């Protein structure tokens, strides 16, 4: 039987195929189809089956990551959405937190409200912060609002009442009324999507869920239809932002949880590969065509957050803490009004793409700089499947960068790369050094199509001593789909002082959440022997505004002494101090349901003699080294224990790794390339 992992990207859709019986792994790329992402998935699945002689009924598992929801938010192409909220609170969505991201930059513009004011309706009702009904729901106003929004042509309606996280009764009744009045409209209620306090974040997340819901539903249906038409019996699973898998039916209800879907899979996969390779402390470094995604793995576990923004909109759902910057292979190099060289954040994208791709691009990019310095193959990429126009890449850098600045071609191209590396290094420090982690104790895990091209320079700049490059790094996110479990997060707000005498109330909430988690795992078809539950409690000292997450060890008793000790340790790690004598306030109780699935095995690589280089070319390694004759190896021909000392270039289907002079590299037992930075 075979398992397939799929990562839908902007330029390519990546596939990883694993033979469950033999452990063999194969990789595949298919050009993405932005007009209908499911088309590229269908082409890739059929291509894999044809290439490896696989019958449809031999595919037992499909895990898939998608950026559909994220792109809908970023490009503001979601469905027209209406809102029904508590009377007097229709403008919460627009007022927000009144926080200026750049205090002295008057050019900063807030993103437009997710719901136009004309489509924000109110209904009389009031539930107290303790969950008591103070004013009953005015059902006539809800019914009138539903009809008004239906006639206005909305495809989705978000319902968010004040303090519904304490008592969802009014929201649930409003949902039933809206269903009767507008049966074809997609509905999201905040007590279902995000039953936590802080009304602005709860409202924003619920509105985003409603906005992307209708189009996500249509995409999922096309995806299911294509998989079924291909004859594959396995029901696909989708990875969501916390790095776990969930069924298509769950995605239909909570599409907002798929933001950062693909990148989260890459981080989860990196944690597994890093642990096996002996590197529990990692900085993940995923460089694609338009962005660089960095994250931290501490003691083989990804770092999570429940507070982040997507395109300026708060999304308060548990997710892998990934920092994204606009620096990728397609990032455009340009001169500002003062004549200074800038790189990104705007990108040439997949179309027209870098000039060297020969698809009509006219602006210089980071990839073109790599072609100019011959760090990338000047003839073809993707194992010869994609022709390269290196001369055109050199010409555009001379015209747009070198000549205006009075530089040589080499200096201009190196300048583009150094600026990009500086931006990437700054992103890495933001998730590590700025949070109290010492980078000299970490390894840089480089993946994505362009990650291994930049990794050695970035590691040197950040003081990271080791770089780990997995096999076929350009498909690492697809591989991560096969290294994760089914999971979903359940949460309930509490907001109360806690001590040994009141701890029983917290354990009751956790038991209730665990029951809900158990029912969800059953609905996902997870066997009782494969179920597990992780408990996290959000808490803070009395008088603080924001909380820290306190993880409770799986399988241990939830006693107050353990919680108190863990809280003080978490606060010390997060803020650099703790106050043991101060009272503690619990904010949220969380239970993560985990359903174990069969993992893709990490097969050991056979030991082989180091083969002869497949070619040799001049590569530019900066002003200190200049052009150097450099051996080029095909990674597919390399076995375990192969060792190299730079300068060396190692090419494979999905990426290229550049090892600078003096750096030492070795292939480990699992096929990872381990590079020691001089």
């Amino acid at each position: 039987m075979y398992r397939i992992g799929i990562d839908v990207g902007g330029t390519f859709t990546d596939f990883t195929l694993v033979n469950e019986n033999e452990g063999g792994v194969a990789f595949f790329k298919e050009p993405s189809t932005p007009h209908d992402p499911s088309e590229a998935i269908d082409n890739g699945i059929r291509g894999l089956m044809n290439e490896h002689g696989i019958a449809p009924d031999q595919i037992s598992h499909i895990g898939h990551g998608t950026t559909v929801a994220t792109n809908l938010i970023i490009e503001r192409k979601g469905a027209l959405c209406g809102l029904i909220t508590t009377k007097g609170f229709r403008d919460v969505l627009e007022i927000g937190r009144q926080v200026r991201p750049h205090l002295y930059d008057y050019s900063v513009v807030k993103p437009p409200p997710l719901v136009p004011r004309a489509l924000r309706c109110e209904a009389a009702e009031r539930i107290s912060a303790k969950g008591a009904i103070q004013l009953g729901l005015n059902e006539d106003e809800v019914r009138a609002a539903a009809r008004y929004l239906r006639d206005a042509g909305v495809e989705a309606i978000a319902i968010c009442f004040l303090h519904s996280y304490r008592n969802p009764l009014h929201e649930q009744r409003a949902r039933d009324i809206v269903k009767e009045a507008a049966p074809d409209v997609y509905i999201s209620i905040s007590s279902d999507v995000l039953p936590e306090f802080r009304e602005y974040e709860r409202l924003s997340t619920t509105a985003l869920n409603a906005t992307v819901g209708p189009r996500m539903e249509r995409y999922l249906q096309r995806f299911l239809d294509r998989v079924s038409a291909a004859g594959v019996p396995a029901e696909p699973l989708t990875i969501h932002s916390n790095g776990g898998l969930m069924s298509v039916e769950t995605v239909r209800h909570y599409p907002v949880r798929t933001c950062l879907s693909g990148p989260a899979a890459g981080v989860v996969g990196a944690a597994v590969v890093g642990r096996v390779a002996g590197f529990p402390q990692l900085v993940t470094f995923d460089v694609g065509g338009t962005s660089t995604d960095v994250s931290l793995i501490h003691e083989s576990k990804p770092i999570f957050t429940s507070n982040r923004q997507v395109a300026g909109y708060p999304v308060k759902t548990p997710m892998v803490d990934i920092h994204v910057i606009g620096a990728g292979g397609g990032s455009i190099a340009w001169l500002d009004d003062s004549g200074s060289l800038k790189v990104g954040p705007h990108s040439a994208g997949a179309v027209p793409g870098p000039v060297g791709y020969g698809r009509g691009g006219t602006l210089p990019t980071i990839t073109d700089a790599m072609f100019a310095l011959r760090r990338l193959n000047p003839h073809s990429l993707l194992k010869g499947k994609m022709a390269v126009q290196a001369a055109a890449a050199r010409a555009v850098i001379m015209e747009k960068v070198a000549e205006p600045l009075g530089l040589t071609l080499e200096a201009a191209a190196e300048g583009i790369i150094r600026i990009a590396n500086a931006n990437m290094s700054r992103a890495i420090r933001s998730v590590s050094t700025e949070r109290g982690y010492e980078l000299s104790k970490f390894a840089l895990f480089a993946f994505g199509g362009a990650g291994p091209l930049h990794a050695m320079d970035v590691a040197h700049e950040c003081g990271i001593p080791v770089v780990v490059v997995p096999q076929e790094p350009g498909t690492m996110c697809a591989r991560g789909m096969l290294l994760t479990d089914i999971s979903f997060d359940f949460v309930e707000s509490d907001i109360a002082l806690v001590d040994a005498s009141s701890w029983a109330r917290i354990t009751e909430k956790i038991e209730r959440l665990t029951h809900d988690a158990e029912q969800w795992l059953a609905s996902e078809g997870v066997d009782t022997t494969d179920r597990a539950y992780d408990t996290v409690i959000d808490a803070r000292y009395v008088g603080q505004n924001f909380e820290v997450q306190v993880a409770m060890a799986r399988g241990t008793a939830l006693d107050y002494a353990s919680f108190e000790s863990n809280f003080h340790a978490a606060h010390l790690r997060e803020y650099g101090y703790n106050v043991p004598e101060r009272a503690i306030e619990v904010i949220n109780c969380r239970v993560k349901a985990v359903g174990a699935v069969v993992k893709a095995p990490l097969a050991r690589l056979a030991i082989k003699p180091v083969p002869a280089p497949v070619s040799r070319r001049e590569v530019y390694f900066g002003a200190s080294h200049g052009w150097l004759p450099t051996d080029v190896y095909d990674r597919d021909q390399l076995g375990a224990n192969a060792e190299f000392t730079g300068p060396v270039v190692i090419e494979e289907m999905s990426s290229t790794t550049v090892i600078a002079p003096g750096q030492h590299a070795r292939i480990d037992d699992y096929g990872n390339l381990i590079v020691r930075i001089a």
Side-chain angles (χ1 to χ4, degrees):
M1 300 298 286
Y2 295 85
R3 302 169 64 80
I4 297 177
I6 307 167
D7 177 39
V8 182
T11 306
F12 290 99
T13 297
D14 302 327
F15 300 81
T16 298
L17 175 73
V18 172
N19 185 322
E20 289 184 2
N21 302 321
E22 301 174 4
V25 182
F27 305 96
F28 193 81
K29 274 183 174 285
E30 182 73 23
S32 291
T33 50
H35 64 281
D36 180 5
S38 67
E39 183 179 320
I41 294 175
D42 181 46
N43 294 338
I45 291 175
R46 292 179 185 272
L48 276 171
M49 290 192 297
N50 292 335
E51 188 172 302
H52 297 277
I54 300 170
D57 60 3
Q58 290 181 284
I59 298 174
S60 62
H61 172 90
I62 293 179
H64 124 282
T66 175
T67 57
V68 170
T70 308
N71 292 341
L72 287 174
I73 297 170
I74 292 173
E75 298 171 15
R76 301 191 179 107
K77 293 182 178 179
L80 183 64
C81 181
L83 170 67
I84 301 176
T85 189
T86 304
K87 184 162 287 186
F89 290 86
R90 69 186 293 198
D91 293 323
V92 166
L93 195 61
E94 193 158 358
I95 295 170
R97 289 289 173 196
Q98 300 188 45
V99 174
R100 293 187 64 87
H102 302 283
L103 189 59
Y104 300 108
D105 187 350
Y106 292 98
S107 66
V108 173
V109 179
K110 289 171 59 177
L114 289 164
V115 182
R117 196 169 196 271
L119 299 179
R120 302 199 294 260
C121 302
E122 298 178 336
E125 68 86 38
R126 183 57 65 92
I127 290 175
S128 74
K130 294 184 178 180
I133 297 176
Q134 294 182 326
L135 177 65
L137 177 66
N138 188 320
E139 297 188 1
D140 291 337
E141 290 183 352
V142 173
R143 195 170 287 108
R147 290 169 179 165
Y148 166 74
L149 294 173
R150 177 198 63 195
D151 295 342
V154 302
E155 291 184 74
I157 293 176
I159 301 172
C160 183
F161 293 149
L162 198 65
H163 301 309
S164 60
Y165 60 90
R166 280 292 201 186
N167 184 344
L169 184 64
H170 285 175
E171 282 193 355
Q172 292 170 349
R173 177 58 187 147
R175 177 186 57 195
D176 295 340
I177 294 171
V178 172
K179 279 184 178 179
E180 294 173 4
D184 297 328
V185 168
Y186 185 95
I187 304 171
S188 289
I189 63 174
S190 73
S191 55
D192 184 28
V193 174
L194 186 68
E196 296 184 33
F197 90 126
R198 294 196 173 104
E199 64 271 18
Y200 170 55
E201 288 78 10
R202 178 161 50 92
L203 176 51
S204 174
T205 304
T206 305
L208 281 172
N209 196 73
T211 298
V212 302
R215 299 191 180 184
M216 192 70 173
E217 263 197 325
R218 292 193 286 271
Y219 159 70
L220 289 170
Q221 192 56 54
R222 291 194 299 268
F223 175 35
L224 289 175
D225 290 344
R226 290 182 184 275
V227 171
S228 177
V232 177
E235 180 177 338
L237 297 172
T238 300
I239 195 162
H240 55 118
S241 308
N242 79 348
L245 295 166
M246 57 186 179
S247 67
V248 169
E249 193 58 34
T250 303
V251 178
R252 291 183 194 273
H253 289 97
Y254 308 105
V256 73
R257 293 190 178 228
T258 63
C259 294
L260 300 181
S261 171
V267 176
V268 171
V272 174
V273 174
R275 183 182 66 248
V276 173
F279 296 97
Q281 307 286 88
L282 293 174
V283 176
T284 65
F285 181 61
D286 178 6
V287 186
T290 59
S291 67
T292 294
D293 305 335
V294 298
S295 187
L296 202 75
I297 294 173
H298 179 58
E299 296 179 353
S300 298
K301 295 180 180 179
I303 304 296
F304 292 89
T305 183
S306 59
N307 293 285
R308 72 167 299 133
Q309 293 191 340
V310 176
Y313 301 110
V315 179
K316 198 175 189 323
T317 62
M319 59 181 69
V320 177
D321 191 5
I322 299 173
H323 184 65
V324 183
I325 63 169
S331 294
I332 294 171
W334 54 285
L335 304 181
D336 66 11
D337 293 341
S338 65
S340 298
L341 178 60
K342 306 288 184 181
V343 179
H346 41 294
S347 171
V351 179
V355 173
Y357 285 1
R359 296 175 179 170
T362 59
L363 298 174
T365 66
I366 296 174
T367 296
D368 294 314
M370 292 292 183
F371 285 135
L373 302 183
R374 302 187 64 148
R375 297 181 186 181
L376 277 174
N377 191 311
H379 305 295
S380 65
L381 298 176
L382 302 179
K383 286 276 190 175
K385 294 180 181 179
M386 181 178 175
V388 165
Q389 296 183 4
R394 292 193 295 271
V396 76
I397 290 177
M398 281 297 300
E399 177 190 352
K400 302 289 187 180
V401 180
E403 291 176 355
L405 294 178
L407 301 174
T408 64
L409 172 67
E410 292 84 355
E414 186 186 9
I416 292 170
I417 294 170
R418 288 181 63 184
I419 291 172
N421 289 344
N423 293 334
M424 295 170 183
S425 299
R426 193 157 45 246
I428 288 174
R429 293 189 189 98
S430 73
V431 302
S432 55
T433 307
E434 293 178 12
R435 298 181 183 178
Y437 294 94
E438 188 178 342
L439 282 175
S440 63
K441 297 180 180 179
F442 284 76
L444 188 68
F445 194 93
F447 58 104
L453 280 169
H454 296 267
M456 313 314 154
D457 290 339
V458 169
H460 183 269
E461 187 167 333
C462 291
I464 300 174
V466 181
V467 174
V468 180
V469 183
Q471 287 181 299
E472 293 296 350
T475 62
M476 188 65 217
C477 290
R479 189 178 179 187
M481 310 290 171
L482 305 179
L483 297 171
T484 189
D485 293 315
I486 293 172
S487 71
F488 196 77
D489 295 274
F490 296 81
V491 61
E492 183 176 338
S493 288
D494 187 84
I495 317 177
L497 291 174
V498 65
D499 54 26
S501 62
S502 61
W503 181 249
R505 187 185 73 257
I506 301 301
T507 57
E508 288 175 4
K509 287 183 180 292
I510 292 171
E511 288 171 0
R512 187 161 57 247
L513 289 170
T514 302
H515 175 71
D516 294 341
E518 188 174 20
Q519 288 186 319
W520 181 79
L521 286 173
S523 70
E524 295 286 298
V526 178
D527 190 86
T528 54
T529 58
D530 295 326
R531 300 175 191 174
Y533 309 94
D534 292 328
T535 301
V536 174
I537 299 172
D538 297 347
R540 65 191 181 192
Y541 289 120
V542 171
Q544 289 183 313
N545 284 331
F546 294 95
E547 56 276 5
V548 297
Q549 292 194 337
V550 184
M552 307 298 289
R554 183 187 292 183
T556 60
L558 295 175
D559 61 282
Y560 178 73
S562 296
F563 162 75
E564 184 180 32
S565 175
N566 291 351
F567 168 73
H568 292 312
H571 197 281
L572 178 64
R573 184 173 60 250
E574 185 78 14
Y575 294 110
Y577 74 96
N578 56 25
V579 191
E581 64 275 11
R582 184 176 292 183
I584 301 172
E585 190 175 33
V586 165
I587 305 301
N588 299 307
C589 297
R590 304 179 185 274
V591 172
K592 181 177 181 179
V594 180
V597 299
V598 178
K599 305 294 191 306
L602 297 177
R604 290 180 179 272
L605 199 65
I607 297 176
K608 303 177 185 176
V610 177
V614 294
S615 65
R616 187 176 176 86
R617 67 173 181 258
E618 295 283 321
V619 177
Y620 189 78
F621 284 96
S624 58
H625 296 287
W627 291 94
L628 296 177
T630 304
D631 289 335
V632 180
Y633 290 88
D634 180 352
R635 188 164 180 178
D636 291 344
Q637 298 177 7
L638 302 178
N641 293 341
E643 296 192 32
F644 309 91
T645 298
V648 170
V649 171
I650 299 177
E651 298 179 343
E652 52 195 313
M653 184 273 292
S654 65
S655 190
T656 298
T657 302
V658 177
I659 301 170
Q663 295 174 348
H664 182 264
R666 177 182 64 85
I667 303 287
D668 73 2
D669 291 344
Y670 293 92
N672 301 302
L673 183 63
I674 313 298
V675 184
R676 303 284 172 178
I677 306 300

